Amino acid sequence: MKQTFKPAGKVLQGFLWADIGLTVLLMINVLILGFIEAGDAFMNYDLIVSLVLSLIVMIYTIIYLVWLYRVHTYLQYLDSSYPITPGGALARVMIPLYNLYGIWNVYSTMANHFKKKPSIREIGVRLARFVPVYYLLFLTTAILNSYLSRQPVEEFYNSLWFISYTADIALVIMYIMIIKIVSAGLIRFSAEEKNDSGSNADFS
């Protein structure tokens, strides 16, 4: 079976890095507005950056779901006993409220599965360490962004927005690291399965 999660993961990482770049621009805008009064041209520029960022977030959210589905398809191809189906993984991250448990469950289950394999145990351990950090950042950014979205327009540029952008960048970086770790784990898991199959064939 082709490792279709790999190209999806690479495209996803590209959009995530674009997210970081645009978020840095918005952080700079907040800093600038702390010292000067911006004109219409600057405000329009900031609005365009925000709109492009929103579009990128929409695109990489779709790509992420494709990537997650392919990851779990490949996991079940490698081990039919893997407990989370591709559809189940999507349900865990897409259903509101349920995803508060589901996101943790998806990655912790994957980490525990990797830890059972001697050759990828260290990858499973690393993924397990990242899960609570990712989960904490996910909750923090969700709560902070929800609060800020309800504030009056005149309060749009303040230190809380700078903090929010910083947390968003930290979350996206963690996101990239998890994608890299999961991809590395699947590739090594696949190699181990091929080696085991080869060894079994030699003895038959």
Side-chain angles (χ1 to χ4, degrees):
M1 183 180 184
K2 290 184 177 180
Q3 297 175 341
T4 55
F5 64 89
K6 288 171 66 177
K10 289 180 180 179
V11 173
L12 178 56
Q13 288 181 60
F15 276 97
L16 290 171
W17 281 113
D19 179 301
I20 291 173
L22 291 171
T23 303
V24 168
L25 288 179
L26 293 175
M27 292 174 70
I28 293 171
N29 292 350
V30 172
L31 290 175
I32 291 173
L33 289 169
F35 297 97
I36 65 169
E37 178 131 5
D40 290 340
F42 184 88
M43 299 299 287
N44 289 333
Y45 155 74
D46 186 79
L47 178 60
I48 290 171
V49 173
S50 298
L51 290 174
V52 172
L53 178 58
S54 297
L55 178 61
I56 285 177
V57 170
M58 289 176 59
I59 293 172
Y60 78 57
T61 298
I62 295 171
I63 298 173
Y64 166 72
L65 295 175
V66 172
W67 174 81
L68 188 67
Y69 185 90
R70 290 180 176 179
V71 162
H72 282 78
T73 298
Y74 198 70
L75 272 168
Q76 291 218 311
Y77 165 75
L78 294 174
D79 185 350
S80 59
S81 67
Y82 190 74
I84 301 178
T85 64
L90 293 184
R92 282 167 169 78
V93 302
M94 292 178 67
I95 299 175
L97 298 181
Y98 178 52
N99 62 5
L100 295 176
Y101 156 79
I103 292 173
W104 180 286
N105 180 249
V106 163
Y107 293 113
S108 62
T109 299
M110 203 179 300
N112 290 334
H113 197 72
F114 286 168
K115 285 191 287 186
K116 293 177 183 177
K117 308 291 181 179
S119 66
I120 54 175
R121 176 176 170 75
E122 76 278 8
I123 293 178
V125 170
R126 285 172 61 199
L127 181 58
R129 288 172 181 166
F130 284 154
V131 171
V133 179
Y134 172 81
Y135 193 73
L136 179 62
L137 286 170
F138 172 77
L139 290 178
T140 300
T141 55
I143 293 170
L144 188 55
N145 291 337
S146 176
Y147 168 77
L148 289 172
S149 67
R150 297 193 299 270
Q151 300 309 300
V153 176
E154 59 270 16
E155 297 295 329
F156 191 79
Y157 298 101
N158 58 41
S159 58
L160 268 183
W161 279 100
F162 190 87
I163 295 171
S164 174
Y165 291 144
T166 302
D168 286 340
I169 289 175
L171 176 62
V172 172
I173 290 174
M174 183 58 59
Y175 208 175
I176 292 170
M177 293 175 70
I178 286 177
I179 292 167
K180 287 180 177 291
I181 290 173
V182 169
S183 298
L186 287 176
I187 292 169
R188 199 178 297 182
F189 189 5
S190 176
E192 182 182 84
E193 290 297 308
K194 288 179 181 177
N195 290 337
D196 289 344
S197 298
S199 298
N200 292 334
D202 292 338
F203 284 109
S204 60

